[in-house]
Amino acid sequence: PPSHEDVEEGVIVGTAVSPGTATGKVRLMMKPTDHFERGEILAATVTSPAWTPLFVGASAVILQIGGVLQHGALCAREFGKPAVSNVDIHNALKTGMMVTVDGNVGTVRIIDER
């Protein structure tokens, strides 16, 4: 995985927890009942079993807390969704941003900040 010093502007380095890549719009979620649209990238601090149905429609997952055994990482792998953890989602991301999640190396590339 890339180090924080060797990364270009617009790339956030986290921890790879589920392989694959996907590009889509971020949806910052505080609770599993928040509005979520199919194809969006689910961004949450942490997930629990109540969040599981959202993984079906997510194109990828970004988590603030957890490693490969965290609930969100396990679900992402089970549903075949790329996922990156250990990302400061509340300061680095906002709903509507277009990003590419690379769960192979643990990066989130910001494509469009709108």
Side-chain angles (χ1 to χ4, degrees):
S3 72
H4 291 275
E5 295 80 32
D6 298 335
V7 90
E8 62 189 86
E9 189 174 337
V11 175
I12 303 162
V13 177
T15 302
V17 293
S18 182
T21 60
T23 299
K25 289 187 177 182
V26 170
R27 174 70 65 170
L28 283 176
M29 310 247 335
M30 303 304 142
K31 58 189 183 298
T33 55
D34 288 347
H35 178 75
F36 184 76
E37 295 182 18
R38 186 172 198 78
E40 290 181 321
I41 294 175
L42 170 62
T45 301
V46 68
T47 65
S48 67
W51 293 75
T52 304
L54 296 171
F55 284 78
V56 174
S59 60
V61 180
I62 304 170
L63 301 165
Q64 182 153 334
I65 299 172
V68 294
L69 296 179
Q70 193 258 14
H71 175 268
L74 292 169
C75 283
R77 288 193 302 276
E78 187 70 25
F79 285 99
K81 310 295 180 168
V84 174
S85 187
N86 298 315
V87 172
D88 185 1
I89 63 166
H90 299 289
N91 290 312
L93 302 174
K94 62 183 179 186
T95 294
M97 279 181 147
M98 183 69 69
V99 302
T100 297
V101 175
D102 189 336
N104 300 315
V105 295
T107 60
V108 177
R109 177 180 301 275
I110 297 170
I111 297 170
D112 187 350
E113 295 193 28
R114 286 185 260 154

